[in-house]
């Protein structure tokens, strides 16, 4: 069965610092992987997705993620954090293409001035 | 363009009362529809999904039910709410290469 593990329920960075949010997946088939962002009391917005094409995926708001099969990882990064990046981030894996996403428990990103 | 509407945004209901949350999708046909629940401090749990009218699959046993009376309408219901039903409920749809699109969510507080 597919699953994802997000290491760290909270990550704190200073404005301008590197953002690294970790996600490891488990899948018996080549996975589809996703990162979503959620602002308070809102739905989830897609940041980026991996669908077996390029292993380095660029998303919105300057975020990117690299699919590493050998490490079963799909970590999310951003070179320079902005205050507006403070939100909760969810990694997800798909069981069937774009269907039935299974989400991690989320990582709350805190950005300090 | 495709849009998804979910309402109400917030709801406070007494224990034992019924529940009906509605989700509609516009701009697409035959979407896959999903209900997720996000409890405080936890991730998203898939509750129900539907691949077509009248076709509902339940992922976890619970006090809730779902129905899809029309192609682009998905309803989450309960006959008698429990305190443990409190949470943030999200509707989503998927279709083809578009992946998932989420509604804005409903914050349900059972008191």
């Amino acid at each position: 069965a597919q699953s994802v593990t997000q290491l760290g329920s909270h990550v704190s960075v200073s404005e301008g610092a590197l953002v690294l949010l970790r996600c490891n997946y488990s899948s018996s088939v080549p996975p589809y992987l996703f990162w979503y962002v959620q602002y308070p009391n809102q739905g989830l917005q897609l940041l980026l997705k991996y669908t077996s094409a390029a292993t380095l995926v660029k998303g919105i708001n300057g975020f990117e993620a690299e699919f590493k099969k050998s490490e079963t990882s799909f970590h999310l990064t951003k070179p320079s954090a902005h205050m507006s990046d403070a939100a909760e981030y969810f990694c997800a894996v798909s069981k069937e293409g774009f269907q039935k996403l299974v989400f991690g428990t989320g990582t709350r990103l805190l950005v300090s001035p | 363009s495709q849009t998804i509407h979910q309402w109400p945004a917030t709801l406070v209901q007494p224990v034992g009362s019924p529940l009906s949350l509605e989700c509609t999708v516009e701009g697409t046909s035959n979407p896959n529809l999903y209900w997720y629940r996000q409890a405080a401090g936890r991730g998203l749990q898939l509750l129900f999904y539907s691949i077509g009218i009248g076709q509902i699959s339940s992922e976890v046993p619970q006090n809730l039910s779902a129905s899809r009376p029309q192609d682009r309408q998905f309803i989450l219901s309960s006959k008698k709410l429990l305190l443990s039903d409190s949470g943030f409920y999200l509707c989503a749809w998927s279709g083809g290469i578009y992946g998932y699109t989420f509604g804005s969510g409903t914050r349900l507080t059972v008191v």
Side-chain angles (χ1 to χ4, degrees):
Chain A
Q2 281 80 1
S3 67
V4 289
T5 301
Q6 290 184 245
L7 297 176
S9 59
H10 292 80
V11 170
S12 295
V13 300
S14 299
E15 192 173 19
L18 170 71
V19 175
L20 171 61
L21 304 182
R22 299 178 185 275
C23 174
N24 288 89
Y25 70 90
S26 172
S27 177
S28 56
V29 297
Y32 285 26
L33 294 160
F34 306 79
W35 275 101
Y36 284 84
V37 60
Q38 184 184 31
Y39 298 99
N41 292 311
Q42 294 187 26
L44 276 71
Q45 180 183 10
L46 180 67
L47 279 176
L48 49 81
K49 61 180 183 286
Y50 167 77
T51 58
S52 74
T55 56
L56 181 62
V57 182
K58 294 186 182 298
I60 62 172
N61 301 339
F63 285 94
E64 62 182 37
E66 186 172 8
F67 173 73
K68 291 187 177 180
K69 185 177 179 180
S70 60
E71 299 177 9
T72 61
S73 69
F74 190 57
H75 302 330
L76 181 70
T77 61
K78 182 174 180 178
S80 177
H82 191 274
M83 295 296 290
S84 61
D85 294 327
E88 188 148 22
Y89 292 80
F90 291 92
C91 182
V93 62
S94 173
K95 289 184 177 183
E96 306 161 13
F98 291 99
Q99 317 305 327
K100 295 181 68 174
L101 294 187
V102 175
F103 287 87
T105 52
T107 297
R108 184 167 299 279
L109 177 65
L110 307 171
V111 182
S112 57
Chain B
S1 62
Q2 299 81 18
T3 57
I4 179 168
H5 302 280
Q6 189 179 342
W7 68 92
T10 59
L11 191 60
V12 180
Q13 293 283 100
V15 169
S17 64
L19 173 74
S20 180
L21 303 181
E22 189 161 345
C23 173
T24 59
V25 181
E26 297 178 357
T28 186
S29 59
N30 197 32
N32 292 335
L33 296 171
Y34 308 84
W35 279 110
Y36 282 84
R37 177 170 60 201
Q38 185 177 20
R42 301 177 63 180
L44 286 84
Q45 181 184 37
L46 178 61
L47 301 177
F48 301 95
Y49 73 96
S50 171
I51 61 172
I53 295 174
Q55 301 180 66
I56 309 295
S57 296
S58 174
E59 290 291 300
V60 294
Q62 59 205 307
N63 183 44
L64 302 168
S65 61
S67 62
R68 185 169 177 174
Q70 300 179 43
D71 181 45
R72 288 169 287 179
Q73 184 184 31
F74 204 25
I75 299 172
L76 184 69
S77 304
S78 174
K79 293 182 178 178
K80 291 184 178 181
L81 284 169
L82 306 172
L83 286 174
S84 58
D85 292 324
S86 293
F88 192 54
Y89 289 83
L90 288 161
C91 179
W93 77 271
S94 70
I97 63 172
Y98 299 108
Y100 268 44
T101 300
F102 283 85
S104 54
T106 296
R107 172 76 57 193
L108 172 66
T109 304
V110 183
V111 297

